[in-house]
Amino acid sequence: MKSVISRIAAGYIWLVYRTSRWQIENADLPNRYVDEGKPFIMAFWHGRLLMMSIANRPPARAHVLISRHGDGELIARTIKHWNLDSIRGSTSRGSVPALKEILRVIRKKEIVVITPDGPRGPRMRAQDGVVRIAALTGVPVFPVSYSTTRGRFLKSWDRFFLAKPFSRGVMLWGDPIEVARQEDPAAYEDARLEIENRLNELTREADLRCGHEPVEPADPADPAASVRAAKKVS
């Protein structure tokens, strides 16, 4: 069943992509990284997962960090149809197998893809895993987001954006964010906030340009701000 659903999902992504007019901005530098075989981390919010497969430009080889929980297997099978590989695990401390795989990918000069607020939220609030990976590997984080004129926001914890066919879409890349290699809590927090703020700015701009009321980041103090809390109250 998951195989069938993943094929349908991959086909839907292709339909939206092929029937929409896309404007991609500020992609020159990440494209240069790809052409020169330089690795980097691509970061976007969990709620913008649907169309991010199109952000990966051949001949780049990208590996998406996907949780072992919930619908991770379905996502992994879906993106495989778009020639994207998966790293199963999380960026939380103690996730040694996932971290080893990430280091292997970077050594191969390939791309690691991370949703800094996934898989459990709070929505549009960056966790420190992406910062620690950037510091450990020494590669920059490129934030990216998108929106389309036709689409709807689901009532999920991440306000998942379901893009629709026959749209006008914008995909906005941010400038690279460097993270110092040394273990410096203050520097890590500054980098985390920079990633979070830049992703929120890009997402807000994309939504406004497509005629949508921008999604607001979750209040971390809200008991329903994460998928774990949402499950408890459902």
Side-chain angles (χ1 to χ4, degrees):
M1 179 60 70
K2 286 184 178 180
S3 178
V4 174
I5 295 174
S6 69
R7 286 180 177 273
I8 293 173
Y12 182 80
I13 294 170
W14 180 256
L15 176 66
V16 175
Y17 172 57
R18 295 297 295 177
T19 62
S20 302
R21 292 185 294 111
W22 290 92
Q23 183 175 356
I24 301 175
E25 296 185 8
N26 204 35
D28 290 347
L29 189 53
N31 287 344
R32 192 183 313 158
Y33 268 62
V34 170
D35 292 338
E36 296 176 358
K38 297 166 64 175
F40 62 89
I41 297 168
M42 183 170 73
F44 55 85
W45 292 136
H46 197 275
R48 304 297 161 133
L49 178 65
L50 182 67
M51 298 305 298
M52 280 302 168
S53 298
I54 72 174
N56 185 54
R57 185 178 71 86
R61 192 76 182 181
H63 305 254
V64 185
L65 184 65
I66 300 174
S67 171
R68 293 186 178 277
H69 302 287
D71 297 325
E73 180 62 25
L74 179 59
I75 295 172
R77 292 189 182 204
T78 299
I79 65 173
K80 191 65 178 176
H81 291 291
W82 282 82
N83 295 318
L84 296 171
D85 295 315
S86 302
I87 301 172
R88 303 305 300 275
S90 72
T91 57
S92 61
R93 293 185 180 183
S95 184
V96 176
L99 182 57
K100 286 184 176 179
E101 183 64 14
I102 288 170
L103 293 176
R104 186 186 68 82
V105 167
I106 295 298
R107 283 196 296 268
K108 290 171 60 180
K109 301 186 183 304
E110 295 176 347
I111 299 169
V112 173
V113 182
I114 295 176
T115 54
D117 61 342
R120 295 178 177 274
R123 177 184 69 252
M124 300 168 71
R125 297 294 184 185
Q127 306 303 307
D128 64 359
V130 63
V131 175
R132 295 183 178 278
I133 289 173
L136 184 62
T137 59
V139 301
V141 178
F142 279 92
V144 60
S145 194
Y146 87 93
S147 191
T148 59
T149 53
R150 299 186 71 249
R152 61 187 292 256
F153 296 98
L154 304 186
K155 294 182 179 180
S156 53
W157 69 269
D158 58 355
R159 300 297 186 270
F160 189 88
F161 183 67
L162 182 64
K164 294 183 179 181
F166 307 101
S167 297
R168 179 178 57 82
V170 293
M171 183 165 291
L172 307 177
W173 287 82
D175 294 332
I177 299 169
E178 305 279 352
V179 181
R181 283 179 177 266
Q182 66 267 24
E183 183 84 20
D184 182 346
Y188 280 10
E189 177 62 10
D190 288 344
R192 188 197 68 78
L193 284 174
E194 186 176 2
I195 292 169
E196 180 178 294
N197 291 338
R198 189 57 183 139
L199 272 174
N200 285 335
E201 290 169 3
L202 291 170
T203 304
R204 180 179 182 83
E205 181 180 351
D207 282 341
L208 287 173
R209 287 169 59 172
C210 288
H212 301 297
E213 183 71 23
V215 175
E216 294 298 325
D219 179 355
D222 184 348
S226 69
V227 65
R228 183 179 299 168
K231 287 181 177 179
K232 287 182 180 179
V233 300
S234 62

